[in-house]
Amino acid sequence: MKPLPLPIATLPLAALGIGLLAGWSLFVGVSDVSLATLFGGGATDQATQVLLVSRLPRTLALILAGAAMAVSGLLLQMLVRNRFVEPSTAGTAESAIFGMMMVSLLAPGMPVFGRMAVASLCALAGTGLFLAILRQVPLRSPLVVPLVGIMLGGVITAMTEFIAYRQDLIQSVRAWETGDFSAILLGRYELLWLSAALTGVAYLAADRFTVAGMGRDVATNLGIDHRKVMALGLVIVSMTTAAVIATCGMIPFLGLIVPNVVSLVRGDNMRGSLPWVALMGAGLVLACDIAGRLVIHPYEIPIGTMMGVIGSALFLYLLLRRNGHAG
């Protein structure tokens, strides 16, 4: 399908839309935070504290996590050369959760950056195992790749939950498996700025990732060290996934849906697509979180549940759409 041309002004307009969603997110919740309680005659210190300590960090975390996971999905799809792969369908997220569980079991006092480092190493190992399995499996259909990843993730999850059940850590594992931003406060989201920095690195190396996505032979002929580029990409994906899971838990299907939708409009050039992927990922997470806070107000639905419902439906649509085109 030929990419649809977009006016250059649409990118700032998309950023403006994200800003409006972020502004809306600041005023949605149980506590009364509004312009009147912040700046009007009825201004209160409580409203200001809720805004600065809870609502603003939560909104920033939503933007950073959404953009980072969407970009990680795009990067993993380029490296694996398959449109149906993302951290939660390649064993990456499940391996990161396994790492978090092992740290809680063996070194519960480890600082948060140490936890993320261990989770990153486990995520890298899980993704490497996924790639090693793919080399041994005949890939007669592009659907085989995500199926292998889902089965691998299922095995890792079963092992994680078995150990967690025996060690009374199942509640912590469930928290990491379900994305939830309700506990995000000032001082508990700053790890996500690292994922923003890694997203910037991915943008700087976007052209190399695009070439690497064409295959080892093409990349070598164009003077690109395919192995180093693959290693850099997998490190970025693993560290980003670990940072998001350590902060707010797993957000399923985000890295699968957003890159596929953007590719229909922008094509497969990573440098041109990456800003759109980041903005759309942030916007989708913001929208799902706001909806989750409004549907059963004053309670809220975790964003992992919201994205699971929306993402699984869109995943099935993409599978059926690809299958229909193949036929």
Side-chain angles (χ1 to χ4, degrees):
M1 178 179 177
K2 184 178 179 181
L4 302 174
L6 286 177
I8 192 162
T10 52
L11 191 60
L13 287 175
L16 176 61
I18 301 301
L20 293 175
L21 281 173
W24 188 7
S25 175
L26 294 176
F27 299 104
V28 176
V30 177
S31 299
D32 184 13
V33 178
S34 63
L35 293 177
T37 57
L38 290 173
F39 307 109
T44 63
D45 291 337
Q46 180 181 355
T48 302
Q49 286 297 313
V50 170
L51 177 68
L52 296 179
V53 175
S54 176
R55 298 284 176 81
L56 185 59
R58 177 173 182 154
T59 301
L60 289 172
L62 287 164
I63 294 172
L64 293 172
M69 290 305 294
V71 171
S72 292
L74 173 64
L75 183 53
L76 197 55
Q77 289 172 16
M78 295 293 291
L79 297 178
V80 180
R81 302 169 67 186
N82 187 283
R83 282 293 177 190
F84 297 120
V85 174
E86 64 116 25
S88 66
T89 61
T92 306
E94 292 83 359
S95 299
I97 293 173
F98 176 80
M100 294 289 293
M101 186 270 298
M102 293 305 295
V103 170
S104 298
L105 179 62
L106 301 177
M110 183 177 291
V112 63
F113 279 99
R115 291 171 179 264
M116 195 211 75
V118 174
S120 299
L121 291 174
C122 289
L124 186 61
T127 310
L129 177 60
F130 169 67
L131 295 176
I133 294 173
L134 288 184
R135 295 191 191 100
Q136 306 300 320
V137 176
L139 304 178
R140 297 187 178 90
S141 167
L143 304 183
V144 172
V145 177
L147 289 177
V148 170
I150 291 171
M151 287 188 290
L152 174 62
V155 172
I156 296 172
T157 297
M159 182 172 59
T160 301
E161 293 186 352
F162 174 76
I163 298 173
Y165 177 77
R166 296 296 298 268
Q167 302 297 326
D168 199 23
L169 290 172
I170 195 69
Q171 188 172 359
S172 297
V173 171
R174 295 296 188 198
W176 294 320
E177 289 176 345
T178 304
D180 186 8
F181 288 83
S182 61
I184 296 295
L185 298 171
L186 187 66
R188 296 185 60 180
Y189 83 99
E190 285 77 7
L191 190 64
L192 291 176
W193 288 109
L194 176 60
S195 65
L198 293 170
T199 301
V201 174
Y203 181 76
L204 293 176
D207 293 334
R208 293 179 178 271
F209 291 132
T210 300
V211 174
M214 297 177 183
R216 181 187 301 272
D217 294 337
V218 174
T220 303
N221 290 335
L222 293 175
I224 300 295
D225 191 327
H226 186 266
R227 179 174 296 181
K228 289 184 178 179
V229 174
M230 286 285 292
L232 175 62
L234 294 179
V235 167
I236 292 174
V237 170
S238 300
M239 292 185 67
T240 299
T241 303
V244 172
I245 288 176
T247 303
C248 58
M250 184 165 64
I251 307 176
F253 297 112
L254 179 65
L256 187 148
I257 298 165
V258 174
N260 275 282
V261 172
V262 172
S263 70
L264 297 176
V265 180
R266 297 292 304 177
D268 294 331
N269 183 279
M270 186 172 174
R271 185 173 295 278
S273 299
L274 195 144
W276 286 99
V277 169
L279 285 175
M280 187 175 176
L284 183 57
V285 170
L286 278 168
C288 287
D289 185 71
I290 292 171
R293 282 185 271 174
L294 293 176
V295 169
I296 55 173
H297 185 81
Y299 307 102
E300 68 176 80
I301 301 173
I303 193 168
T305 303
M306 295 291 293
M307 280 301 305
V309 173
I310 297 172
S312 58
L314 290 175
F315 184 33
L316 287 173
Y317 168 75
L318 292 170
L319 288 175
L320 295 173
R321 181 180 182 276
R322 173 64 65 90
N323 190 46
H325 283 203

